[in-house]
Structures are given as structure tokens and as C-alpha cells.
Amino acid sequence: MTARSMMPYVEGNSAIREMFEEGARMAAEYGAENVYDFSLGNPSVLAPEEVNKAIREIVEEEDSLMVHGYNTSNSGYEDVRTTVADHINRINGTSFGAENIIMTVGAASGLNVAIKTLVDPGEEILAFAPYFVEYGNYAANHGVSLRAVPANPEGRNGSEAFSPDIDAMSEMINEKTRAVIINSPNNPTGVIYSEGTIKRLAQVLREKSEEYGREIYIISDEPYRELAYDGAQVPYVTKYYDNTVVAYSWSKSLSLPGERIGYLVIPSEMADFENAVQAANIANRVLGYVNAPTLIQRVAARCIDCVTDIDAYDRNRKALYEGLTEAGYECTYPQGAFYLFVKTPIDDDKEFCAKAKEFNILVVPGSSFACPGYVRIAYCVSHDTIINSLPAFRKLRESLY
Ligand code: PLP
């Protein structure tokens, strides 16, 4: 019999995954070219050739026992962590060393390690809606509850549309609040949080930490850091707030989601730094990740200066935004990541998704991101899929009136 603690997961199984499976079924029935599957954030750009070259070289040139062995600390290879720290410093003007980096099994494990390290069971984490659906599950893994700060679609108090509503967050903080998760560039809105927003967030959290006499951490989830368009800057949050942990991933920036590789940054300025780093190292082990994959740690270090072909996503972004806006949809212009967040022409986003399916369009309801009334379109697909889908989106909208 299934453990009772698993039943909420079984019942609330990810709508995104379900859609993805439905997409595969529809592709088999109608032909892949006639199905517009925008459900999954799986990169459509190939990993850079340097990645494959690095894999071949490492496997051929290095000691196989070392490459595939248990010979890394739970935090990862020291030289890899130094390479990562130097890279972050070069770009952001920070001063991290290997001691600030923990290699992880993608951002997903990094977030779990961060929560296990910083948040006690019974405490609370806040996340700004709309947010990545798994945050609630990750929090629950550690006996922690996640509370959603309501979405800010209009940009309350002069802030940008869908930027964090810091006033609302401030009102929600209580004696149990231990962390706030932020995600910029954002999944699902594509919004990049401005420096002003980060500064204000930091200021309020400093005040609240003082008021309650305990640290409130920022957990900054950054798998899309490199996917910023038009030269947009993504502020490095540790520069504004000491009690920040950054969870980074190469899943999107190098198109390696299946390889499961990322890292955590824990700044030396963080409260109780020595214990925090040690606890995170142990959390990596006891949660069962043990260490980030050894071969891919080495690959990531060799490819530290590589970036994905962001122009391909940019082309999709513009074509989709223009096409849908012209067809009468209300969209948030994405500054980063590879998602477009669209207001549904009818109130019920799930009903809209069901209607979209009749036109062979698969999109994810905003309710899956704690933001009903919208849908997420993942435009990490071929450019042809974008162009070919536009008449279907137009017909879908017309069918609703
Ligand atoms: N955080 C966000 C916002 C994501 O969109 C994803 C994946 O889509 C993750 C975390 C998990 O990424 P990873 O593959 O690095 O575990």
C-alpha cells in the first residue's frame, strides 16, 4: 500500500508532467508537426559542442577510477568549486572562494539542501506567486510550509508588473518565517527583478529579521540567470543581502537538464557561516544526493565560459509575443527565461487549457503556479512550432467569443 505521506503528491501530481505525457500521446495520434506542445521547460537549443568535447576528453584522458569514483567530497571537487567561484567573481565583482560553493544535483537538489540547512520543520517559507510549482513539494519534504505572497500583475505601488509585492510580503512575515524564495529571471513570467526591487526586499528583510530577532534568509533560485534578453542585468543577490543562498543550475544555460548539475553559493558573510556550509555539505549527503555527478562536475568546469544560443530563444520570444498580442491576447513581455505568461481570455485557466487542447495547443494553467487566470507558454520549441501555432492560437481565441 502506498505510504499515506505520499498521497498528497500522488493526488497533486504535476500538471506540467501530465501535459507533457498528453503531448506525446497527441503527437503519436496527430503527427508531431500538428501538435503545439508548450508544456515543458526543456531546452530546445543543443548543448554547446564544447560540452560533448569535454566529456570525450575527460573520459579518454583522465583516470577512469577517479572520474567515476566516490573521490569527491560531498561538496564537490575543490578545483571545480574554485573555477566556479572565480567565474562568479569575474562577472559579478564578488569575492567567493571554493569554500562558498557546494556542487549540487541541479537547482532542484540545491533548493532541497538549502531548505534542509536553513529552515526547521514547522517553520515557514514565503514565495511570490506565480512560482515554480515544485517549491511547495520541496518545502513539504522538510516539514516546512510554503505560503504564497499574492501575485502582483498590475505592479502595485509603482513596481513593475509581476515583480514581487514586497509590501504584501512584509505583512505576511511572522515569528515562523525563516526564508523567502525568489526566482529571477522568473518561471513562469519571464520577469527579471530589478536592482531596486532586490534592494527593497533586502531592506525589508533586514528590518523584519531585527524585529523578530532571527535570521530570515533569501533563497535565490537562478536556473535562468544566463537567459536575459536585450542586455538586461540580473542583480547578484548576495551583494545586497548577506543571508542569501543562491541555487544555480546548468540545466538551461548549457541545455543539460538530464545531467543534473548545479551549485549552491553560501556567502562567508552569512550568519553562522561555518556551520551553515558544513550542514549543507552533510544535507547533500543525507538527503541521498551524496555528491553532484563527478564527470559532469568536471565538464561544467571546463565549459565554465560557454553559454547557450540565447538568440534562438529570443527569436521565439519576439515572434510569439507579437503573434499573440496581434491576435488579441494580453501578455507580459518576458525579459528573461523562455516562458510567456498570458492572461486567459476566459476567467477559468483550466477550462482555457482544455479548450486549447481542442486546437492541439498544450499550455500550463497559471493555477499550477498559484496564479489562476493565466497560462504559461514554454517557448523553448522550434521556431517552426511558434510560427505554425499562431493561426491555432487565433482560432482558439475566436472560438471563445
Ligand atoms: N527552479 C525553477 C524556477 C525551474 O524552472 C526549474 C526547472 O525547470 C528548477 C528550479 C529545477 O532545475 P534543475 O533542473 O536545475 O533541477
Side-chain angles (χ1 to χ4, degrees):
M1 201 186 113
T2 310
R4 242 175 311 159
S5 61
M6 280 311 293
M7 285 320 288
Y9 297 99
V10 173
E11 281 149 18
N13 194 16
S14 165
I16 300 176
R17 277 276 156 192
E18 268 175 35
M19 285 257 175
F20 176 66
E21 279 153 29
E22 177 69 359
R25 191 197 61 71
M26 285 169 69
E29 186 175 342
Y30 303 108
E33 69 286 3
N34 299 316
V35 176
Y36 313 114
D37 185 352
F38 298 103
S39 58
L40 203 62
N42 196 33
S44 51
V45 170
L46 291 180
E49 180 44 35
E50 287 95 325
V51 169
N52 294 330
K53 185 163 169 276
I55 293 173
R56 283 192 296 269
E57 284 174 0
I58 293 164
V59 170
E60 282 164 14
E61 291 165 15
E62 297 194 17
D63 177 344
S64 190
L65 273 179
M66 295 291 279
V67 170
H68 303 302
Y70 270 143
N71 60 310
T72 168
S73 88
N74 297 128
S75 297
Y77 290 114
E78 171 113 18
D79 60 333
V80 170
R81 287 154 52 218
T82 302
T83 302
V84 168
D86 290 348
H87 177 75
I88 302 170
N89 296 341
R90 231 179 0 259
I91 293 174
N92 301 293
T94 45
S95 47
F96 300 121
E99 68 280 9
N100 302 111
I101 309 295
I102 296 195
M103 303 302 292
T104 61
V105 183
S109 85
L111 294 169
N112 274 279
V113 167
I115 296 170
K116 174 103 176 145
T117 302
L118 301 174
V119 190
D120 278 331
E123 292 185 332
E124 288 178 358
I125 293 179
L126 299 179
F128 295 97
Y131 59 80
F132 180 49
V133 61
E134 299 288 26
Y135 293 160
N137 292 329
Y138 298 161
N141 286 345
H142 309 286
V144 169
S145 36
L146 185 99
R147 292 171 69 213
V149 181
N152 181 25
E154 314 299 339
R156 198 162 91 127
N157 296 338
S159 61
E160 294 144 37
F162 281 117
S163 63
D165 187 339
I166 301 198
D167 293 336
M169 176 204 75
S170 177
E171 283 160 25
M172 287 174 71
I173 291 178
N174 61 34
E175 64 290 345
K176 285 189 180 172
T177 312
R178 183 53 90 187
V180 178
I181 301 191
I182 59 171
N183 168 225
S184 165
N186 185 262
N187 173 10
T189 62
V191 168
I192 294 177
Y193 300 171
S194 69
E195 185 183 40
T197 297
I198 299 294
K199 279 186 173 164
R200 222 172 102 54
L201 173 67
Q203 183 56 32
V204 170
L205 290 183
R206 267 191 290 274
E207 285 163 17
K208 288 287 174 183
S209 297
E210 189 149 332
E211 181 183 336
Y212 287 101
R214 53 194 243 125
E215 287 80 29
I216 301 175
Y217 298 95
I218 294 179
I219 300 175
S220 185
D221 179 24
E222 305 190 353
Y224 302 97
R225 166 164 284 279
E226 261 63 64
L227 274 65
Y229 305 107
D230 305 324
Q233 296 296 310
V234 184
Y236 210 82
V237 184
T238 61
K239 290 163 76 170
Y240 304 88
Y241 193 68
D242 291 343
N243 285 324
T244 298
V245 170
V246 175
Y248 181 83
S249 159
W250 280 281
S251 289
K252 321 285 173 169
S253 63
L254 285 186
S255 297
L256 295 176
E259 301 296 352
R260 315 304 306 132
I261 185 75
Y263 60 78
L264 281 180
V265 180
I266 304 182
S268 304
E269 293 74 19
M270 168 176 281
D272 201 14
F273 165 71
E274 297 290 343
N275 280 331
V277 152
Q278 233 202 318
N281 180 50
I282 293 167
N284 218 8
R285 191 185 84 229
V286 301
L287 289 175
Y289 309 119
V290 181
N291 55 254
T294 45
L295 169 62
I296 304 299
Q297 283 191 49
R298 296 223 156 282
V299 171
R302 284 201 191 196
C303 299
I304 198 79
D305 291 319
C306 291
V307 278
T308 192
D309 175 14
I310 189 174
D311 292 347
Y313 296 129
D314 194 11
R315 212 165 144 237
N316 285 359
R317 172 181 77 126
K318 288 179 177 139
L320 186 65
Y321 178 83
E322 278 163 24
L324 293 196
T325 308
E326 268 168 32
Y329 289 95
E330 220 179 285
C331 313
T332 305
Y333 192 56
Q335 301 161 295
F338 40 47
Y339 306 107
L340 184 69
F341 209 48
V342 180
K343 196 167 172 33
T344 49
I346 51 174
D347 287 343
D348 186 335
D349 51 322
K350 288 185 179 158
E351 193 186 327
F352 177 80
C353 290
K355 287 259 177 224
K357 238 162 67 177
E358 292 171 18
F359 294 83
N360 285 0
I361 296 171
L362 290 168
V363 290
V364 180
S367 348
S368 294
F369 303 90
C371 191
Y374 293 81
V375 285
R376 184 193 79 173
I377 305 179
Y379 57 80
C380 42
V381 295
S382 74
H383 195 63
D384 282 351
T385 301
I386 302 276
I387 300 302
N388 296 339
S389 71
L390 294 177
F393 271 112
R394 192 176 282 274
K395 282 189 207 139
L396 164 62
R397 191 164 188 284
E398 284 161 6
S399 78
L400 300 168
Y401 293 98

PDB file of all heavy atoms in Angstrom, residues 117-118 215 217-218 242-245 265-274 276-277:
ATOM      1  N   THR A 117      19.008  22.861   5.299  1.00  0.00           N
ATOM      2  CA  THR A 117      20.075  23.508   6.067  1.00  0.00           C
ATOM      3  C   THR A 117      19.567  24.688   6.895  1.00  0.00           C
ATOM      4  O   THR A 117      19.990  24.878   8.034  1.00  0.00           O
ATOM      5  CB  THR A 117      21.167  24.018   5.091  1.00  0.00           C
ATOM      6  OG1 THR A 117      21.643  22.913   4.343  1.00  0.00           O
ATOM      7  CG2 THR A 117      22.324  24.680   5.828  1.00  0.00           C
ATOM      8  N   LEU A 118      18.651  25.466   6.316  1.00  0.00           N
ATOM      9  CA  LEU A 118      18.325  26.761   6.927  1.00  0.00           C
ATOM     10  C   LEU A 118      16.989  26.811   7.652  1.00  0.00           C
ATOM     11  O   LEU A 118      16.764  27.697   8.473  1.00  0.00           O
ATOM     12  CB  LEU A 118      18.303  27.851   5.837  1.00  0.00           C
ATOM     13  CG  LEU A 118      19.601  28.040   5.041  1.00  0.00           C
ATOM     14  CD1 LEU A 118      19.379  29.049   3.917  1.00  0.00           C
ATOM     15  CD2 LEU A 118      20.732  28.521   5.957  1.00  0.00           C
ATOM     16  N   GLU A 215      17.281  35.294  11.919  1.00  0.00           N
ATOM     17  CA  GLU A 215      17.590  35.498  10.502  1.00  0.00           C
ATOM     18  C   GLU A 215      16.413  35.068   9.619  1.00  0.00           C
ATOM     19  O   GLU A 215      15.808  34.030   9.871  1.00  0.00           O
ATOM     20  CB  GLU A 215      18.803  34.654  10.060  1.00  0.00           C
ATOM     21  CG  GLU A 215      20.129  35.146  10.550  1.00  0.00           C
ATOM     22  CD  GLU A 215      20.408  34.736  11.986  1.00  0.00           C
ATOM     23  OE1 GLU A 215      19.899  33.669  12.416  1.00  0.00           O
ATOM     24  OE2 GLU A 215      21.103  35.494  12.674  1.00  0.00           O
ATOM     25  N   TYR A 217      16.190  34.273   5.651  1.00  0.00           N
ATOM     26  CA  TYR A 217      17.098  34.088   4.522  1.00  0.00           C
ATOM     27  C   TYR A 217      16.391  34.359   3.196  1.00  0.00           C
ATOM     28  O   TYR A 217      15.178  34.187   3.080  1.00  0.00           O
ATOM     29  CB  TYR A 217      17.622  32.650   4.484  1.00  0.00           C
ATOM     30  CG  TYR A 217      18.412  32.282   5.716  1.00  0.00           C
ATOM     31  CD1 TYR A 217      17.790  31.641   6.793  1.00  0.00           C
ATOM     32  CD2 TYR A 217      19.763  32.585   5.806  1.00  0.00           C
ATOM     33  CE1 TYR A 217      18.503  31.314   7.929  1.00  0.00           C
ATOM     34  CE2 TYR A 217      20.487  32.252   6.938  1.00  0.00           C
ATOM     35  CZ  TYR A 217      19.849  31.621   8.003  1.00  0.00           C
ATOM     36  OH  TYR A 217      20.563  31.302   9.124  1.00  0.00           O
ATOM     37  N   ILE A 218      17.197  34.734   2.196  1.00  0.00           N
ATOM     38  CA  ILE A 218      16.712  34.695   0.808  1.00  0.00           C
ATOM     39  C   ILE A 218      17.297  33.441   0.176  1.00  0.00           C
ATOM     40  O   ILE A 218      18.503  33.187   0.283  1.00  0.00           O
ATOM     41  CB  ILE A 218      17.170  35.929  -0.002  1.00  0.00           C
ATOM     42  CG1 ILE A 218      16.525  37.210   0.526  1.00  0.00           C
ATOM     43  CG2 ILE A 218      16.836  35.741  -1.487  1.00  0.00           C
ATOM     44  CD1 ILE A 218      16.956  38.483  -0.223  1.00  0.00           C
ATOM     45  N   ASP A 242      23.298  39.628   2.944  1.00  0.00           N
ATOM     46  CA  ASP A 242      24.278  38.608   3.351  1.00  0.00           C
ATOM     47  C   ASP A 242      23.649  37.230   3.536  1.00  0.00           C
ATOM     48  O   ASP A 242      24.252  36.209   3.193  1.00  0.00           O
ATOM     49  CB  ASP A 242      24.945  39.014   4.673  1.00  0.00           C
ATOM     50  CG  ASP A 242      25.851  40.225   4.499  1.00  0.00           C
ATOM     51  OD1 ASP A 242      26.205  40.531   3.342  1.00  0.00           O
ATOM     52  OD2 ASP A 242      26.196  40.863   5.518  1.00  0.00           O
ATOM     53  N   ASN A 243      22.455  37.197   4.104  1.00  0.00           N
ATOM     54  CA  ASN A 243      21.840  35.893   4.415  1.00  0.00           C
ATOM     55  C   ASN A 243      21.107  35.319   3.193  1.00  0.00           C
ATOM     56  O   ASN A 243      19.914  35.016   3.242  1.00  0.00           O
ATOM     57  CB  ASN A 243      20.884  36.031   5.601  1.00  0.00           C
ATOM     58  CG  ASN A 243      21.654  36.150   6.900  1.00  0.00           C
ATOM     59  OD1 ASN A 243      22.700  35.517   7.068  1.00  0.00           O
ATOM     60  ND2 ASN A 243      21.172  36.983   7.813  1.00  0.00           N
ATOM     61  N   THR A 244      21.877  35.229   2.106  1.00  0.00           N
ATOM     62  CA  THR A 244      21.319  34.722   0.843  1.00  0.00           C
ATOM     63  C   THR A 244      22.024  33.433   0.469  1.00  0.00           C
ATOM     64  O   THR A 244      23.242  33.337   0.581  1.00  0.00           O
ATOM     65  CB  THR A 244      21.583  35.739  -0.303  1.00  0.00           C
ATOM     66  OG1 THR A 244      20.940  36.954  -0.005  1.00  0.00           O
ATOM     67  CG2 THR A 244      21.095  35.209  -1.646  1.00  0.00           C
ATOM     68  N   VAL A 245      21.251  32.465  -0.009  1.00  0.00           N
ATOM     69  CA  VAL A 245      21.843  31.284  -0.652  1.00  0.00           C
ATOM     70  C   VAL A 245      21.380  31.321  -2.099  1.00  0.00           C
ATOM     71  O   VAL A 245      20.197  31.532  -2.366  1.00  0.00           O
ATOM     72  CB  VAL A 245      21.362  29.981   0.020  1.00  0.00           C
ATOM     73  CG1 VAL A 245      21.792  28.764  -0.799  1.00  0.00           C
ATOM     74  CG2 VAL A 245      21.918  29.869   1.414  1.00  0.00           C
ATOM     75  N   VAL A 265      25.617  28.698  -3.701  1.00  0.00           N
ATOM     76  CA  VAL A 265      26.584  29.677  -3.204  1.00  0.00           C
ATOM     77  C   VAL A 265      26.145  30.070  -1.801  1.00  0.00           C
ATOM     78  O   VAL A 265      24.995  30.474  -1.598  1.00  0.00           O
ATOM     79  CB  VAL A 265      26.607  30.945  -4.088  1.00  0.00           C
ATOM     80  CG1 VAL A 265      27.620  31.945  -3.536  1.00  0.00           C
ATOM     81  CG2 VAL A 265      26.925  30.597  -5.523  1.00  0.00           C
ATOM     82  N   ILE A 266      27.066  29.893  -0.837  1.00  0.00           N
ATOM     83  CA  ILE A 266      26.779  30.298   0.544  1.00  0.00           C
ATOM     84  C   ILE A 266      27.845  31.323   0.931  1.00  0.00           C
ATOM     85  O   ILE A 266      29.019  30.976   1.088  1.00  0.00           O
ATOM     86  CB  ILE A 266      26.829  29.078   1.494  1.00  0.00           C
ATOM     87  CG1 ILE A 266      25.847  28.002   0.997  1.00  0.00           C
ATOM     88  CG2 ILE A 266      26.536  29.496   2.930  1.00  0.00           C
ATOM     89  CD1 ILE A 266      25.765  26.762   1.862  1.00  0.00           C
ATOM     90  N   PRO A 267      27.467  32.592   1.025  1.00  0.00           N
ATOM     91  CA  PRO A 267      28.475  33.633   1.256  1.00  0.00           C
ATOM     92  C   PRO A 267      29.073  33.566   2.664  1.00  0.00           C
ATOM     93  O   PRO A 267      28.381  33.210   3.622  1.00  0.00           O
ATOM     94  CB  PRO A 267      27.705  34.948   1.085  1.00  0.00           C
ATOM     95  CG  PRO A 267      26.306  34.594   0.791  1.00  0.00           C
ATOM     96  CD  PRO A 267      26.104  33.129   0.923  1.00  0.00           C
ATOM     97  N   SER A 268      30.354  33.922   2.784  1.00  0.00           N
ATOM     98  CA  SER A 268      31.033  33.904   4.099  1.00  0.00           C
ATOM     99  C   SER A 268      30.375  34.870   5.073  1.00  0.00           C
ATOM    100  O   SER A 268      30.492  34.712   6.284  1.00  0.00           O
ATOM    101  CB  SER A 268      32.502  34.300   3.938  1.00  0.00           C
ATOM    102  OG  SER A 268      33.113  33.460   3.009  1.00  0.00           O
ATOM    103  N   GLU A 269      29.696  35.891   4.538  1.00  0.00           N
ATOM    104  CA  GLU A 269      29.071  36.907   5.404  1.00  0.00           C
ATOM    105  C   GLU A 269      27.781  36.392   6.038  1.00  0.00           C
ATOM    106  O   GLU A 269      27.216  37.046   6.931  1.00  0.00           O
ATOM    107  CB  GLU A 269      28.734  38.170   4.583  1.00  0.00           C
ATOM    108  CG  GLU A 269      29.941  38.930   4.057  1.00  0.00           C
ATOM    109  CD  GLU A 269      30.624  38.231   2.883  1.00  0.00           C
ATOM    110  OE1 GLU A 269      29.994  37.363   2.234  1.00  0.00           O
ATOM    111  OE2 GLU A 269      31.802  38.553   2.629  1.00  0.00           O
ATOM    112  N   MET A 270      27.310  35.241   5.594  1.00  0.00           N
ATOM    113  CA  MET A 270      26.056  34.705   6.144  1.00  0.00           C
ATOM    114  C   MET A 270      26.211  34.422   7.642  1.00  0.00           C
ATOM    115  O   MET A 270      27.291  34.024   8.088  1.00  0.00           O
ATOM    116  CB  MET A 270      25.689  33.413   5.417  1.00  0.00           C
ATOM    117  CG  MET A 270      24.579  32.644   6.099  1.00  0.00           C
ATOM    118  SD  MET A 270      24.096  31.211   5.166  1.00  0.00           S
ATOM    119  CE  MET A 270      23.086  31.991   3.941  1.00  0.00           C
ATOM    120  N   ALA A 271      25.127  34.602   8.400  1.00  0.00           N
ATOM    121  CA  ALA A 271      25.154  34.306   9.840  1.00  0.00           C
ATOM    122  C   ALA A 271      25.566  32.848  10.042  1.00  0.00           C
ATOM    123  O   ALA A 271      25.098  31.970   9.307  1.00  0.00           O
ATOM    124  CB  ALA A 271      23.758  34.535  10.414  1.00  0.00           C
ATOM    125  N   ASP A 272      26.461  32.603  10.984  1.00  0.00           N
ATOM    126  CA  ASP A 272      26.849  31.238  11.337  1.00  0.00           C
ATOM    127  C   ASP A 272      27.347  30.461  10.105  1.00  0.00           C
ATOM    128  O   ASP A 272      27.031  29.283   9.906  1.00  0.00           O
ATOM    129  CB  ASP A 272      25.621  30.522  11.946  1.00  0.00           C
ATOM    130  CG  ASP A 272      26.022  29.324  12.807  1.00  0.00           C
ATOM    131  OD1 ASP A 272      27.215  29.222  13.146  1.00  0.00           O
ATOM    132  OD2 ASP A 272      25.149  28.496  13.096  1.00  0.00           O
ATOM    133  N   PHE A 273      28.189  31.152   9.317  1.00  0.00           N
ATOM    134  CA  PHE A 273      28.609  30.606   8.025  1.00  0.00           C
ATOM    135  C   PHE A 273      29.225  29.205   8.127  1.00  0.00           C
ATOM    136  O   PHE A 273      28.856  28.302   7.371  1.00  0.00           O
ATOM    137  CB  PHE A 273      29.603  31.579   7.360  1.00  0.00           C
ATOM    138  CG  PHE A 273      30.357  30.969   6.217  1.00  0.00           C
ATOM    139  CD1 PHE A 273      29.716  30.684   5.018  1.00  0.00           C
ATOM    140  CD2 PHE A 273      31.708  30.657   6.330  1.00  0.00           C
ATOM    141  CE1 PHE A 273      30.393  30.099   3.954  1.00  0.00           C
ATOM    142  CE2 PHE A 273      32.400  30.069   5.280  1.00  0.00           C
ATOM    143  CZ  PHE A 273      31.750  29.791   4.090  1.00  0.00           C
ATOM    144  N   GLU A 274      30.177  29.024   9.069  1.00  0.00           N
ATOM    145  CA  GLU A 274      30.898  27.739   9.126  1.00  0.00           C
ATOM    146  C   GLU A 274      29.911  26.589   9.305  1.00  0.00           C
ATOM    147  O   GLU A 274      29.990  25.573   8.618  1.00  0.00           O
ATOM    148  CB  GLU A 274      31.898  27.718  10.304  1.00  0.00           C
ATOM    149  CG  GLU A 274      33.014  28.755  10.203  1.00  0.00           C
ATOM    150  CD  GLU A 274      34.007  28.437   9.091  1.00  0.00           C
ATOM    151  OE1 GLU A 274      34.026  27.277   8.628  1.00  0.00           O
ATOM    152  OE2 GLU A 274      34.718  29.369   8.670  1.00  0.00           O
ATOM    153  N   ALA A 276      26.716  26.643   8.646  1.00  0.00           N
ATOM    154  CA  ALA A 276      25.789  26.556   7.508  1.00  0.00           C
ATOM    155  C   ALA A 276      26.418  25.748   6.379  1.00  0.00           C
ATOM    156  O   ALA A 276      25.776  24.866   5.791  1.00  0.00           O
ATOM    157  CB  ALA A 276      25.405  27.956   7.027  1.00  0.00           C
ATOM    158  N   VAL A 277      27.683  26.030   6.075  1.00  0.00           N
ATOM    159  CA  VAL A 277      28.353  25.321   4.981  1.00  0.00           C
ATOM    160  C   VAL A 277      28.494  23.836   5.312  1.00  0.00           C
ATOM    161  O   VAL A 277      28.253  22.964   4.470  1.00  0.00           O
ATOM    162  CB  VAL A 277      29.725  25.962   4.699  1.00  0.00           C
ATOM    163  CG1 VAL A 277      30.703  24.975   4.132  1.00  0.00           C
ATOM    164  CG2 VAL A 277      29.547  27.105   3.732  1.00  0.00           C
TER     165      VAL A 277
END
